[in-house]
Amino acid sequence: MVSVRTFHRFAAREGMAPGDPAVHVRPPAIPKRLPKALPYEDVERLLANAGDLATSEGVRDRALLEFLYGTGTRVSEAVGLDVDDIDLDERTVLVTGKGDKQRMLPLGEVAAEALSAYLVRGRPPLATRGRGTSRMFLNARGGPLSRQSAYGILSAAARRAGLDGRVSPHSLRHSFATHLLQNGADVRVVQELLGHASVTTTQIYTLVTVDTLRTVYATSHPRAR
């Protein structure tokens, strides 16, 4: 569509055509799609299969996935964390997002416990294999964990959990936002937690499926029962 409009505009400007017949043609509107969120039961299965807690890598994997779901951070934000960004005493984490904008996020009890276990039992053995880095999450060679490796960790956990379909780090971010809203969180609070510049971006999570509408209607309307 863009190519056709550009060609006709060029032809009219260069005198190759008497006018631009495509001037009133508009590209089709892209429909809004609901973010893919996992049911909470699937998230529990996923986290339960995060990794072998008898290994340093398994402790790391559990901490990473608990952190992603517990904070709703982007995977790039998670792998970019430094150890000093996390305060386990205050249960907070300083996250650097898009445009180097920083936001302070709370850490839930389960995520904080998983991170504490990783700092004590997981990270030190991994760190001895590398040359020293301040990054929180390390790979098997002691260097900073990459986004691709984080994706592989999640995909492996999803396979072990028997989850169908493609599960990505963004699935946990979507699930984080959706589960908060389903349990009564204010959309502007969720906006701050996700680091969205505009609440319009966050409002897509407030869209509900026809099945959800039908369920609410059936249980709430006096004439629907």
Side-chain angles (χ1 to χ4, degrees):
M1 186 71 73
V2 170
S3 298
V4 169
R5 292 175 63 190
T6 302
F7 171 73
H8 282 290
R9 186 166 59 248
F10 167 78
R13 186 177 64 243
E14 296 296 319
M16 299 166 58
D20 183 356
V23 68
H24 298 298
V25 177
R26 294 289 178 265
I30 300 175
K32 289 184 178 180
R33 295 183 178 179
L34 287 170
K36 182 181 178 182
L38 299 172
Y40 180 63
E41 294 76 14
D42 286 355
V43 173
E44 284 190 312
R45 286 167 54 198
L46 178 70
L47 297 176
N49 287 273
D52 182 0
L53 297 183
T55 67
S56 300
E57 288 84 352
V59 176
R60 175 204 61 198
D61 297 350
R62 175 67 178 271
L64 174 64
L65 298 191
E66 287 284 3
F67 179 81
L68 287 172
Y69 176 65
T71 60
T73 48
R74 303 173 180 91
V75 66
S76 57
E77 295 171 341
V79 298
L81 282 176
D82 285 341
V83 173
D84 290 342
D85 291 332
I86 296 175
D87 187 335
L88 290 177
D89 292 330
E90 296 294 329
R91 283 196 4 205
T92 58
V93 56
L94 181 64
V95 175
T96 303
K98 292 183 177 179
D100 289 332
K101 291 183 179 179
Q102 293 185 318
R103 63 189 190 278
M104 188 71 73
L105 300 178
L107 278 175
E109 182 179 357
V110 178
E113 288 177 352
L115 289 171
S116 178
Y118 168 63
L119 286 171
V120 173
R121 298 189 290 110
R123 193 179 185 280
L126 294 175
T128 60
R129 306 172 191 173
R131 299 180 179 178
T133 174
S134 61
R135 288 293 169 84
M136 178 67 174
F137 294 107
L138 305 180
N139 59 30
R141 297 181 301 278
L145 191 73
S146 67
R147 293 178 60 207
Q148 293 77 10
S149 295
Y151 190 102
I153 289 168
L154 177 58
S155 297
R159 286 194 299 272
R160 289 192 295 269
L163 298 181
D164 296 328
R166 189 174 182 181
V167 179
S168 70
H170 230 61
S171 301
L172 291 182
R173 182 170 162 85
H174 292 329
S175 302
F176 166 84
T178 301
H179 296 165
L180 279 174
L181 291 167
Q182 286 176 343
N183 286 282
D186 183 87
V187 67
R188 291 196 177 274
V189 173
V190 177
Q191 174 195 354
E192 292 294 328
L193 292 172
L194 292 175
H196 286 161
S198 170
V199 73
T200 304
T201 309
T202 316
Q203 283 174 335
I204 190 173
Y205 294 102
T206 64
L207 300 176
V208 293
T209 64
V210 174
D211 288 340
T212 302
L213 289 173
R214 186 180 293 113
T215 300
V216 173
Y217 174 78
T219 57
S220 304
H221 197 281
R223 292 283 191 176
R225 300 171 191 172

mmCIF file with all atom_site columns, all heavy atoms in Angstrom, residues 10 16 58 72 94 104 110 114 126 135 142 148-150 174 180 182-183 193 197 207 209 216:
data_model
loop_
_atom_site.group_PDB
_atom_site.id
_atom_site.type_symbol
_atom_site.label_atom_id
_atom_site.label_alt_id
_atom_site.label_comp_id
_atom_site.label_asym_id
_atom_site.label_entity_id
_atom_site.label_seq_id
_atom_site.pdbx_PDB_ins_code
_atom_site.Cartn_x
_atom_site.Cartn_y
_atom_site.Cartn_z
_atom_site.occupancy
_atom_site.B_iso_or_equiv
_atom_site.pdbx_formal_charge
_atom_site.auth_seq_id
_atom_site.auth_comp_id
_atom_site.auth_asym_id
_atom_site.auth_atom_id
_atom_site.pdbx_PDB_model_num
ATOM 1   N N   . PHE A 1 10  ? 4.679   10.283  -6.699  1.00 0.00 ? 10  PHE A N   1
ATOM 2   C CA  . PHE A 1 10  ? 5.844   10.610  -7.529  1.00 0.00 ? 10  PHE A CA  1
ATOM 3   C C   . PHE A 1 10  ? 5.415   10.907  -8.967  1.00 0.00 ? 10  PHE A C   1
ATOM 4   O O   . PHE A 1 10  ? 5.861   11.896  -9.577  1.00 0.00 ? 10  PHE A O   1
ATOM 5   C CB  . PHE A 1 10  ? 6.820   9.435   -7.513  1.00 0.00 ? 10  PHE A CB  1
ATOM 6   C CG  . PHE A 1 10  ? 7.895   9.507   -8.554  1.00 0.00 ? 10  PHE A CG  1
ATOM 7   C CD1 . PHE A 1 10  ? 8.998   10.335  -8.372  1.00 0.00 ? 10  PHE A CD1 1
ATOM 8   C CD2 . PHE A 1 10  ? 7.804   8.761   -9.722  1.00 0.00 ? 10  PHE A CD2 1
ATOM 9   C CE1 . PHE A 1 10  ? 9.996   10.407  -9.342  1.00 0.00 ? 10  PHE A CE1 1
ATOM 10  C CE2 . PHE A 1 10  ? 8.788   8.834   -10.692 1.00 0.00 ? 10  PHE A CE2 1
ATOM 11  C CZ  . PHE A 1 10  ? 9.887   9.661   -10.501 1.00 0.00 ? 10  PHE A CZ  1
ATOM 12  N N   . MET A 1 16  ? 3.961   12.859  -14.821 1.00 0.00 ? 16  MET A N   1
ATOM 13  C CA  . MET A 1 16  ? 3.741   11.619  -15.567 1.00 0.00 ? 16  MET A CA  1
ATOM 14  C C   . MET A 1 16  ? 2.276   11.191  -15.518 1.00 0.00 ? 16  MET A C   1
ATOM 15  O O   . MET A 1 16  ? 1.855   10.315  -16.263 1.00 0.00 ? 16  MET A O   1
ATOM 16  C CB  . MET A 1 16  ? 4.615   10.512  -14.962 1.00 0.00 ? 16  MET A CB  1
ATOM 17  C CG  . MET A 1 16  ? 6.111   10.814  -15.034 1.00 0.00 ? 16  MET A CG  1
ATOM 18  S SD  . MET A 1 16  ? 7.107   9.705   -13.967 1.00 0.00 ? 16  MET A SD  1
ATOM 19  C CE  . MET A 1 16  ? 6.643   8.110   -14.616 1.00 0.00 ? 16  MET A CE  1
ATOM 20  N N   . GLY A 1 58  ? 20.510  -24.224 37.764  1.00 0.00 ? 58  GLY A N   1
ATOM 21  C CA  . GLY A 1 58  ? 19.106  -24.395 38.104  1.00 0.00 ? 58  GLY A CA  1
ATOM 22  C C   . GLY A 1 58  ? 18.619  -23.355 39.095  1.00 0.00 ? 58  GLY A C   1
ATOM 23  O O   . GLY A 1 58  ? 17.500  -22.835 38.977  1.00 0.00 ? 58  GLY A O   1
ATOM 24  N N   . GLY A 1 72  ? 7.376   -8.250  36.268  1.00 0.00 ? 72  GLY A N   1
ATOM 25  C CA  . GLY A 1 72  ? 6.855   -7.832  34.975  1.00 0.00 ? 72  GLY A CA  1
ATOM 26  C C   . GLY A 1 72  ? 7.864   -7.107  34.116  1.00 0.00 ? 72  GLY A C   1
ATOM 27  O O   . GLY A 1 72  ? 7.503   -6.415  33.161  1.00 0.00 ? 72  GLY A O   1
ATOM 28  N N   . LEU A 1 94  ? 15.998  -1.687  41.401  1.00 0.00 ? 94  LEU A N   1
ATOM 29  C CA  . LEU A 1 94  ? 16.083  -0.528  40.522  1.00 0.00 ? 94  LEU A CA  1
ATOM 30  C C   . LEU A 1 94  ? 16.285  -1.032  39.098  1.00 0.00 ? 94  LEU A C   1
ATOM 31  O O   . LEU A 1 94  ? 17.314  -1.637  38.786  1.00 0.00 ? 94  LEU A O   1
ATOM 32  C CB  . LEU A 1 94  ? 17.246  0.375   40.937  1.00 0.00 ? 94  LEU A CB  1
ATOM 33  C CG  . LEU A 1 94  ? 17.433  1.652   40.117  1.00 0.00 ? 94  LEU A CG  1
ATOM 34  C CD1 . LEU A 1 94  ? 16.232  2.574   40.278  1.00 0.00 ? 94  LEU A CD1 1
ATOM 35  C CD2 . LEU A 1 94  ? 18.721  2.373   40.534  1.00 0.00 ? 94  LEU A CD2 1
ATOM 36  N N   . MET A 1 104 ? 11.765  2.178   40.338  1.00 0.00 ? 104 MET A N   1
ATOM 37  C CA  . MET A 1 104 ? 11.950  1.326   41.501  1.00 0.00 ? 104 MET A CA  1
ATOM 38  C C   . MET A 1 104 ? 10.745  0.407   41.617  1.00 0.00 ? 104 MET A C   1
ATOM 39  O O   . MET A 1 104 ? 9.604   0.868   41.618  1.00 0.00 ? 104 MET A O   1
ATOM 40  C CB  . MET A 1 104 ? 12.109  2.164   42.767  1.00 0.00 ? 104 MET A CB  1
ATOM 41  C CG  . MET A 1 104 ? 12.507  1.359   43.998  1.00 0.00 ? 104 MET A CG  1
ATOM 42  S SD  . MET A 1 104 ? 14.219  0.751   43.917  1.00 0.00 ? 104 MET A SD  1
ATOM 43  C CE  . MET A 1 104 ? 15.123  2.286   44.183  1.00 0.00 ? 104 MET A CE  1
ATOM 44  N N   . VAL A 1 110 ? 8.305   -14.402 47.213  1.00 0.00 ? 110 VAL A N   1
ATOM 45  C CA  . VAL A 1 110 ? 8.830   -15.586 46.529  1.00 0.00 ? 110 VAL A CA  1
ATOM 46  C C   . VAL A 1 110 ? 10.005  -15.216 45.629  1.00 0.00 ? 110 VAL A C   1
ATOM 47  O O   . VAL A 1 110 ? 11.036  -15.897 45.612  1.00 0.00 ? 110 VAL A O   1
ATOM 48  C CB  . VAL A 1 110 ? 7.723   -16.281 45.719  1.00 0.00 ? 110 VAL A CB  1
ATOM 49  C CG1 . VAL A 1 110 ? 8.284   -17.482 44.960  1.00 0.00 ? 110 VAL A CG1 1
ATOM 50  C CG2 . VAL A 1 110 ? 6.581   -16.726 46.634  1.00 0.00 ? 110 VAL A CG2 1
ATOM 51  N N   . ALA A 1 114 ? 13.957  -16.439 45.976  1.00 0.00 ? 114 ALA A N   1
ATOM 52  C CA  . ALA A 1 114 ? 14.670  -17.086 44.874  1.00 0.00 ? 114 ALA A CA  1
ATOM 53  C C   . ALA A 1 114 ? 15.955  -16.333 44.542  1.00 0.00 ? 114 ALA A C   1
ATOM 54  O O   . ALA A 1 114 ? 17.003  -16.946 44.270  1.00 0.00 ? 114 ALA A O   1
ATOM 55  C CB  . ALA A 1 114 ? 13.764  -17.168 43.646  1.00 0.00 ? 114 ALA A CB  1
ATOM 56  N N   . LEU A 1 126 ? 29.186  -19.694 39.649  1.00 0.00 ? 126 LEU A N   1
ATOM 57  C CA  . LEU A 1 126 ? 29.227  -19.242 38.260  1.00 0.00 ? 126 LEU A CA  1
ATOM 58  C C   . LEU A 1 126 ? 30.257  -18.126 38.089  1.00 0.00 ? 126 LEU A C   1
ATOM 59  O O   . LEU A 1 126 ? 30.971  -18.082 37.082  1.00 0.00 ? 126 LEU A O   1
ATOM 60  C CB  . LEU A 1 126 ? 27.836  -18.740 37.833  1.00 0.00 ? 126 LEU A CB  1
ATOM 61  C CG  . LEU A 1 126 ? 26.721  -19.781 37.758  1.00 0.00 ? 126 LEU A CG  1
ATOM 62  C CD1 . LEU A 1 126 ? 25.379  -19.117 37.445  1.00 0.00 ? 126 LEU A CD1 1
ATOM 63  C CD2 . LEU A 1 126 ? 27.031  -20.842 36.696  1.00 0.00 ? 126 LEU A CD2 1
ATOM 64  N N   . ARG A 1 135 ? 27.107  -7.876  36.746  1.00 0.00 ? 135 ARG A N   1
ATOM 65  C CA  . ARG A 1 135 ? 25.767  -8.301  36.329  1.00 0.00 ? 135 ARG A CA  1
ATOM 66  C C   . ARG A 1 135 ? 25.200  -9.343  37.283  1.00 0.00 ? 135 ARG A C   1
ATOM 67  O O   . ARG A 1 135 ? 25.919  -10.212 37.780  1.00 0.00 ? 135 ARG A O   1
ATOM 68  C CB  . ARG A 1 135 ? 25.798  -8.855  34.911  1.00 0.00 ? 135 ARG A CB  1
ATOM 69  C CG  . ARG A 1 135 ? 26.002  -7.787  33.859  1.00 0.00 ? 135 ARG A CG  1
ATOM 70  C CD  . ARG A 1 135 ? 24.800  -6.854  33.776  1.00 0.00 ? 135 ARG A CD  1
ATOM 71  N NE  . ARG A 1 135 ? 25.049  -5.681  32.979  1.00 0.00 ? 135 ARG A NE  1
ATOM 72  C CZ  . ARG A 1 135 ? 24.924  -5.639  31.639  1.00 0.00 ? 135 ARG A CZ  1
ATOM 73  N NH1 . ARG A 1 135 ? 24.584  -6.739  30.989  1.00 0.00 ? 135 ARG A NH1 1
ATOM 74  N NH2 . ARG A 1 135 ? 25.159  -4.521  31.001  1.00 0.00 ? 135 ARG A NH2 1
ATOM 75  N N   . GLY A 1 142 ? 30.423  -17.681 33.401  1.00 0.00 ? 142 GLY A N   1
ATOM 76  C CA  . GLY A 1 142 ? 30.663  -16.602 34.344  1.00 0.00 ? 142 GLY A CA  1
ATOM 77  C C   . GLY A 1 142 ? 30.500  -15.215 33.771  1.00 0.00 ? 142 GLY A C   1
ATOM 78  O O   . GLY A 1 142 ? 30.783  -14.227 34.449  1.00 0.00 ? 142 GLY A O   1
ATOM 79  N N   . GLN A 1 148 ? 19.086  -14.014 24.574  1.00 0.00 ? 148 GLN A N   1
ATOM 80  C CA  . GLN A 1 148 ? 18.834  -15.288 23.904  1.00 0.00 ? 148 GLN A CA  1
ATOM 81  C C   . GLN A 1 148 ? 18.908  -16.455 24.886  1.00 0.00 ? 148 GLN A C   1
ATOM 82  O O   . GLN A 1 148 ? 18.108  -17.388 24.828  1.00 0.00 ? 148 GLN A O   1
ATOM 83  C CB  . GLN A 1 148 ? 19.829  -15.480 22.750  1.00 0.00 ? 148 GLN A CB  1
ATOM 84  C CG  . GLN A 1 148 ? 19.668  -14.518 21.588  1.00 0.00 ? 148 GLN A CG  1
ATOM 85  C CD  . GLN A 1 148 ? 20.226  -13.135 21.860  1.00 0.00 ? 148 GLN A CD  1
ATOM 86  O OE1 . GLN A 1 148 ? 20.920  -12.903 22.868  1.00 0.00 ? 148 GLN A OE1 1
ATOM 87  N NE2 . GLN A 1 148 ? 19.920  -12.197 20.991  1.00 0.00 ? 148 GLN A NE2 1
ATOM 88  N N   . SER A 1 149 ? 19.880  -16.389 25.795  1.00 0.00 ? 149 SER A N   1
ATOM 89  C CA  . SER A 1 149 ? 20.004  -17.452 26.789  1.00 0.00 ? 149 SER A CA  1
ATOM 90  C C   . SER A 1 149 ? 18.815  -17.449 27.745  1.00 0.00 ? 149 SER A C   1
ATOM 91  O O   . SER A 1 149 ? 18.322  -18.505 28.146  1.00 0.00 ? 149 SER A O   1
ATOM 92  C CB  . SER A 1 149 ? 21.304  -17.283 27.574  1.00 0.00 ? 149 SER A CB  1
ATOM 93  O OG  . SER A 1 149 ? 22.422  -17.456 26.726  1.00 0.00 ? 149 SER A OG  1
ATOM 94  N N   . ALA A 1 150 ? 18.339  -16.255 28.113  1.00 0.00 ? 150 ALA A N   1
ATOM 95  C CA  . ALA A 1 150 ? 17.172  -16.157 28.986  1.00 0.00 ? 150 ALA A CA  1
ATOM 96  C C   . ALA A 1 150 ? 15.950  -16.760 28.301  1.00 0.00 ? 150 ALA A C   1
ATOM 97  O O   . ALA A 1 150 ? 15.139  -17.456 28.928  1.00 0.00 ? 150 ALA A O   1
ATOM 98  C CB  . ALA A 1 150 ? 16.913  -14.699 29.352  1.00 0.00 ? 150 ALA A CB  1
ATOM 99  N N   . HIS A 1 174 ? 3.165   -10.179 30.151  1.00 0.00 ? 174 HIS A N   1
ATOM 100 C CA  . HIS A 1 174 ? 1.723   -10.067 29.919  1.00 0.00 ? 174 HIS A CA  1
ATOM 101 C C   . HIS A 1 174 ? 0.944   -10.689 31.072  1.00 0.00 ? 174 HIS A C   1
ATOM 102 O O   . HIS A 1 174 ? -0.069  -10.153 31.520  1.00 0.00 ? 174 HIS A O   1
ATOM 103 C CB  . HIS A 1 174 ? 1.338   -10.774 28.618  1.00 0.00 ? 174 HIS A CB  1
ATOM 104 C CG  . HIS A 1 174 ? 1.867   -10.099 27.387  1.00 0.00 ? 174 HIS A CG  1
ATOM 105 N ND1 . HIS A 1 174 ? 2.067   -8.749  27.295  1.00 0.00 ? 174 HIS A ND1 1
ATOM 106 C CD2 . HIS A 1 174 ? 2.222   -10.598 26.180  1.00 0.00 ? 174 HIS A CD2 1
ATOM 107 C CE1 . HIS A 1 174 ? 2.536   -8.443  26.094  1.00 0.00 ? 174 HIS A CE1 1
ATOM 108 N NE2 . HIS A 1 174 ? 2.638   -9.552  25.399  1.00 0.00 ? 174 HIS A NE2 1
ATOM 109 N N   . LEU A 1 180 ? -2.514  -8.983  37.735  1.00 0.00 ? 180 LEU A N   1
ATOM 110 C CA  . LEU A 1 180 ? -2.697  -7.846  38.634  1.00 0.00 ? 180 LEU A CA  1
ATOM 111 C C   . LEU A 1 180 ? -4.064  -7.199  38.421  1.00 0.00 ? 180 LEU A C   1
ATOM 112 O O   . LEU A 1 180 ? -4.806  -6.926  39.379  1.00 0.00 ? 180 LEU A O   1
ATOM 113 C CB  . LEU A 1 180 ? -1.590  -6.812  38.413  1.00 0.00 ? 180 LEU A CB  1
ATOM 114 C CG  . LEU A 1 180 ? -0.242  -7.067  39.078  1.00 0.00 ? 180 LEU A CG  1
ATOM 115 C CD1 . LEU A 1 180 ? 0.763   -6.011  38.627  1.00 0.00 ? 180 LEU A CD1 1
ATOM 116 C CD2 . LEU A 1 180 ? -0.372  -7.034  40.592  1.00 0.00 ? 180 LEU A CD2 1
ATOM 117 N N   . GLN A 1 182 ? -6.713  -8.477  36.980  1.00 0.00 ? 182 GLN A N   1
ATOM 118 C CA  . GLN A 1 182 ? -7.795  -9.393  37.324  1.00 0.00 ? 182 GLN A CA  1
ATOM 119 C C   . GLN A 1 182 ? -8.059  -9.424  38.822  1.00 0.00 ? 182 GLN A C   1
ATOM 120 O O   . GLN A 1 182 ? -9.167  -9.732  39.260  1.00 0.00 ? 182 GLN A O   1
ATOM 121 C CB  . GLN A 1 182 ? -7.469  -10.803 36.827  1.00 0.00 ? 182 GLN A CB  1
ATOM 122 C CG  . GLN A 1 182 ? -7.597  -10.973 35.325  1.00 0.00 ? 182 GLN A CG  1
ATOM 123 C CD  . GLN A 1 182 ? -7.185  -12.349 34.855  1.00 0.00 ? 182 GLN A CD  1
ATOM 124 O OE1 . GLN A 1 182 ? -6.517  -13.100 35.576  1.00 0.00 ? 182 GLN A OE1 1
ATOM 125 N NE2 . GLN A 1 182 ? -7.566  -12.699 33.638  1.00 0.00 ? 182 GLN A NE2 1
ATOM 126 N N   . ASN A 1 183 ? -7.041  -9.086  39.608  1.00 0.00 ? 183 ASN A N   1
ATOM 127 C CA  . ASN A 1 183 ? -7.191  -9.108  41.060  1.00 0.00 ? 183 ASN A CA  1
ATOM 128 C C   . ASN A 1 183 ? -7.391  -7.720  41.648  1.00 0.00 ? 183 ASN A C   1
ATOM 129 O O   . ASN A 1 183 ? -7.201  -7.517  42.855  1.00 0.00 ? 183 ASN A O   1
ATOM 130 C CB  . ASN A 1 183 ? -5.982  -9.794  41.693  1.00 0.00 ? 183 ASN A CB  1
ATOM 131 C CG  . ASN A 1 183 ? -6.010  -11.304 41.502  1.00 0.00 ? 183 ASN A CG  1
ATOM 132 O OD1 . ASN A 1 183 ? -6.733  -12.015 42.192  1.00 0.00 ? 183 ASN A OD1 1
ATOM 133 N ND2 . ASN A 1 183 ? -5.236  -11.796 40.541  1.00 0.00 ? 183 ASN A ND2 1
ATOM 134 N N   . LEU A 1 193 ? 4.403   0.104   37.076  1.00 0.00 ? 193 LEU A N   1
ATOM 135 C CA  . LEU A 1 193 ? 5.188   -1.112  37.273  1.00 0.00 ? 193 LEU A CA  1
ATOM 136 C C   . LEU A 1 193 ? 5.807   -1.589  35.963  1.00 0.00 ? 193 LEU A C   1
ATOM 137 O O   . LEU A 1 193 ? 6.947   -2.061  35.936  1.00 0.00 ? 193 LEU A O   1
ATOM 138 C CB  . LEU A 1 193 ? 4.307   -2.208  37.865  1.00 0.00 ? 193 LEU A CB  1
ATOM 139 C CG  . LEU A 1 193 ? 3.830   -1.977  39.312  1.00 0.00 ? 193 LEU A CG  1
ATOM 140 C CD1 . LEU A 1 193 ? 2.808   -3.034  39.697  1.00 0.00 ? 193 LEU A CD1 1
ATOM 141 C CD2 . LEU A 1 193 ? 5.003   -2.008  40.283  1.00 0.00 ? 193 LEU A CD2 1
ATOM 142 N N   . ALA A 1 197 ? 5.209   4.564   29.067  1.00 0.00 ? 197 ALA A N   1
ATOM 143 C CA  . ALA A 1 197 ? 5.166   6.025   29.052  1.00 0.00 ? 197 ALA A CA  1
ATOM 144 C C   . ALA A 1 197 ? 3.739   6.540   29.054  1.00 0.00 ? 197 ALA A C   1
ATOM 145 O O   . ALA A 1 197 ? 3.444   7.605   29.588  1.00 0.00 ? 197 ALA A O   1
ATOM 146 C CB  . ALA A 1 197 ? 5.924   6.550   27.839  1.00 0.00 ? 197 ALA A CB  1
ATOM 147 N N   . LEU A 1 207 ? -8.718  -5.187  28.168  1.00 0.00 ? 207 LEU A N   1
ATOM 148 C CA  . LEU A 1 207 ? -9.645  -5.843  27.253  1.00 0.00 ? 207 LEU A CA  1
ATOM 149 C C   . LEU A 1 207 ? -9.891  -7.264  27.728  1.00 0.00 ? 207 LEU A C   1
ATOM 150 O O   . LEU A 1 207 ? -8.986  -7.954  28.188  1.00 0.00 ? 207 LEU A O   1
ATOM 151 C CB  . LEU A 1 207 ? -9.060  -5.871  25.833  1.00 0.00 ? 207 LEU A CB  1
ATOM 152 C CG  . LEU A 1 207 ? -8.765  -4.501  25.204  1.00 0.00 ? 207 LEU A CG  1
ATOM 153 C CD1 . LEU A 1 207 ? -8.102  -4.682  23.855  1.00 0.00 ? 207 LEU A CD1 1
ATOM 154 C CD2 . LEU A 1 207 ? -10.038 -3.692  25.060  1.00 0.00 ? 207 LEU A CD2 1
ATOM 155 N N   . THR A 1 209 ? -11.928 -11.142 27.024  1.00 0.00 ? 209 THR A N   1
ATOM 156 C CA  . THR A 1 209 ? -12.425 -12.007 25.976  1.00 0.00 ? 209 THR A CA  1
ATOM 157 C C   . THR A 1 209 ? -13.928 -12.175 26.096  1.00 0.00 ? 209 THR A C   1
ATOM 158 O O   . THR A 1 209 ? -14.541 -11.875 27.127  1.00 0.00 ? 209 THR A O   1
ATOM 159 C CB  . THR A 1 209 ? -11.764 -13.388 26.062  1.00 0.00 ? 209 THR A CB  1
ATOM 160 O OG1 . THR A 1 209 ? -12.156 -13.997 27.293  1.00 0.00 ? 209 THR A OG1 1
ATOM 161 C CG2 . THR A 1 209 ? -10.251 -13.278 26.004  1.00 0.00 ? 209 THR A CG2 1
ATOM 162 N N   . VAL A 1 216 ? -18.916 -13.423 33.439  1.00 0.00 ? 216 VAL A N   1
ATOM 163 C CA  . VAL A 1 216 ? -19.302 -12.356 34.365  1.00 0.00 ? 216 VAL A CA  1
ATOM 164 C C   . VAL A 1 216 ? -20.793 -12.062 34.248  1.00 0.00 ? 216 VAL A C   1
ATOM 165 O O   . VAL A 1 216 ? -21.493 -11.884 35.252  1.00 0.00 ? 216 VAL A O   1
ATOM 166 C CB  . VAL A 1 216 ? -18.474 -11.085 34.104  1.00 0.00 ? 216 VAL A CB  1
ATOM 167 C CG1 . VAL A 1 216 ? -18.993 -9.916  34.941  1.00 0.00 ? 216 VAL A CG1 1
ATOM 168 C CG2 . VAL A 1 216 ? -17.007 -11.340 34.408  1.00 0.00 ? 216 VAL A CG2 1
#
